[in-house]
Amino acid sequence: MNRKHLHISLLSAALLALSLLTGGCKAIEKAAIEKISQIEITSFQIDNISPVGLKGLDGEFLVGISNPTVTVELSDISANILYKGEEFGRFKLDAFVLKGHSKVIYPLTAHAKLNSITSFGILMQALSGKRDDFSVRIEGTGKALGMSKDIVVEMPLAELLEMMSKTETENEK
């Protein structure tokens, strides 16, 4: 084999190895990304809520999260509280990191702005049991494996509060 054929063969082998390597990395990356949709909130508990002025609240929450995949950084997290489909308040959560391959209860801090003073009364109705017309829309950005993705989860407030009562029952055991 002459030198020219040797260089072409080595170059071909190197390109083949590189394509196999990057293809393998892409497959691993794809599998991890597909598992991100399996991240779930397993529990929710209000630790503390304090009024701030006439239309604000600061809250501390304990949120159980099951993460079967890689570590994910969460930022720009907000939760809209909807009453009959209309936004009447918005929570902003501080950024945090979901540990990979874990089930952890995270202490999270949120700051709320309600649209009006009457929103407090509506929110108290929801917390006292009249919650059929309420829902929560949670948005944020997740970053993992050098990529970022916007995340949106919407659920009835009753479902979120059901998680709270489940957590309180588990804590009493």
Side-chain angles (χ1 to χ4, degrees):
M1 184 183 298
N2 67 27
R3 291 184 109 170
K4 184 176 180 182
H5 285 85
L6 179 63
H7 287 295
I8 291 173
S9 296
L10 288 174
L11 180 60
S12 296
L15 288 174
L16 178 62
L18 182 62
S19 67
L20 289 173
L21 180 63
T22 57
C25 289
K26 294 267 187 225
I28 291 168
E29 191 173 278
K30 183 179 178 191
I33 289 169
E34 287 174 1
K35 275 193 154 190
I36 286 177
S37 64
Q38 296 174 9
I39 295 172
E40 65 179 332
I41 298 172
T42 58
S43 63
F44 178 86
Q45 182 178 352
I46 297 172
D47 192 37
N48 184 33
I49 293 184
S50 306
V52 177
L54 294 175
K55 297 192 297 183
L57 295 170
D58 280 346
E60 295 171 6
F61 307 94
L62 300 174
V63 182
I65 300 176
S66 173
N67 179 7
T69 187
V70 298
T71 297
V72 179
E73 291 179 45
L74 294 171
S75 61
D76 302 320
I77 308 162
S78 64
N80 297 347
I81 304 166
L82 306 169
Y83 177 65
K84 295 183 179 179
E86 298 286 323
E87 180 182 310
F88 79 93
R90 180 179 204 94
F91 278 86
K92 294 272 188 187
L93 274 68
D94 295 343
F96 68 103
V97 175
L98 290 178
K99 296 175 184 170
H101 308 284
S102 66
K103 291 181 181 177
V104 177
I105 296 177
Y106 295 90
L108 303 178
T109 302
H111 314 282
K113 296 261 188 221
L114 301 176
N115 294 349
S116 69
I117 295 172
T118 57
S119 296
F120 273 117
I122 295 171
L123 185 59
M124 291 306 118
Q125 286 178 11
L127 295 175
S128 67
K130 300 175 184 175
R131 46 184 82 114
D132 291 338
D133 295 327
F134 293 89
S135 61
V136 179
R137 180 180 173 96
I138 302 167
E139 302 176 18
T141 301
K143 295 178 185 169
L145 301 173
M147 297 177 291
S148 69
K149 179 174 172 73
D150 291 334
I151 301 162
V152 177
V153 176
E154 190 163 338
M155 68 177 69
L157 182 63
E159 187 178 321
L160 185 64
L161 295 175
E162 186 178 300
M163 284 184 212
M164 282 175 46
S165 64
K166 179 181 163 186
T167 303
E168 289 168 2
T169 304
E170 289 173 0
N171 288 340
E172 290 172 1
K173 292 179 182 179

